[in-house]
């Protein structure tokens, strides 16, 4: 990994999940700047601010109030300024319907929220180390669902 600072965004309405995600990021030996949003509308308001430095990667929870992850994903992919952002769906849902829907709507990867902290740290680190250009160019249903 380079010394470049990775600009990471997390949109998740669960306070415990946000806190654990931040702790995992803090423990990983990758230079990051983490911005956290409590729901999808906050995320979209941020992404459309003038002169914003766009994130390298968005971790997007599906089930959020006000604007859910699927709505955000569709907005991101339909906005010419945002459409090339890397979006990792980050959800407790393992439903085939959610996975299929987010794949068809253009998410780059689907990550099930791990159930313990060490797995969370491992998953976040592996996702941050992905070669996104390669991963995205070879995207198919088998590589979409991220497993460790």
């Amino acid at each position: 990994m380079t010394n470049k600072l990775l600009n990471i965004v997390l949109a998740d309405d669960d306070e415990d999940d946000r806190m654990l995600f931040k702790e995992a990021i803090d423990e990983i030996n990758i230079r990051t700047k983490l911005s956290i949003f409590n729901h999808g509308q906050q995320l979209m308001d941020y992404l459309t601010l003038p002169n914003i430095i766009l994130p390298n990667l968005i971790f997007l929870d599906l089930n959020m109030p006000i604007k859910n992850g699927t709505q955000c994903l569709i907005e991101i992919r339909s906005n010419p300024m945002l459409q090339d952002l890397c979006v990792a769906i980050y959800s407790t849902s393992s439903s085939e319907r959610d996975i299929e829907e987010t794949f068809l709507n253009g998410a780059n990867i689907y990550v099930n929220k791990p159930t313990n902290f060490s797995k969370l740290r491992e998953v976040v680190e592996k996702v941050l180390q992905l070669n996104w250009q390669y991963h995205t160019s070879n995207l198919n249903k088998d590589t979409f669902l991220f497993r460790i």
Side-chain angles (χ1 to χ4, degrees):
M1 196 92 217
T2 65
N3 278 340
K4 195 178 107 176
L5 187 70
L6 273 179
N7 189 2
I8 308 299
V9 165
L10 170 67
D12 194 325
D13 64 314
D14 186 294
E15 186 175 353
D16 291 338
D17 286 351
R18 291 192 307 264
M19 183 189 69
L20 289 171
F21 190 92
K22 182 183 181 328
E23 285 178 25
I25 289 278
D26 290 345
E27 285 191 15
I28 295 169
N29 196 18
I30 297 173
R31 292 186 58 224
T32 57
K33 174 188 178 280
L34 177 63
S35 302
I36 298 177
F37 302 95
N38 299 339
H39 56 74
Q41 189 59 55
Q42 278 184 345
L43 169 69
M44 296 313 299
D45 290 347
Y46 170 77
L47 290 176
T48 53
L49 286 173
N51 305 319
I52 174 190
I53 295 172
L54 290 171
N56 300 99
L57 176 61
I58 298 170
F59 284 86
L60 187 57
D61 185 25
L62 283 183
N63 300 309
M64 295 183 287
I66 304 172
K67 186 171 284 189
N68 69 36
T70 302
Q71 292 167 315
C72 291
L73 177 60
I74 290 168
E75 271 188 52
I76 289 167
R77 291 299 180 239
S78 63
N79 182 327
M81 301 297 290
L82 307 175
Q83 66 188 10
D84 294 329
L85 292 175
C86 290
V87 178
I89 300 301
Y90 179 67
S91 179
T92 54
S93 170
S94 53
S95 104
E96 281 299 318
R97 191 177 144 273
D98 286 342
I99 295 166
E100 175 85 12
E101 183 177 27
T102 54
F103 178 77
L104 293 173
N105 283 317
N108 297 92
I109 194 167
Y110 194 103
V111 179
N112 280 117
K113 288 182 182 177
T115 53
N116 68 55
F117 183 75
S118 62
K119 277 260 192 253
L120 170 63
R121 194 170 51 71
E122 185 181 352
V123 164
V124 170
E125 186 169 26
K126 281 189 167 34
V127 170
L128 293 184
Q129 290 174 339
L130 279 176
N131 178 334
W132 284 97
Q133 195 169 3
Y134 172 81
H135 180 82
T136 304
S137 67
N138 291 298
L139 192 62
N140 62 51
K141 290 267 310 263
D142 296 327
T143 59
F144 180 64
L145 185 58
F146 187 75
R147 293 188 172 99
I148 54 167

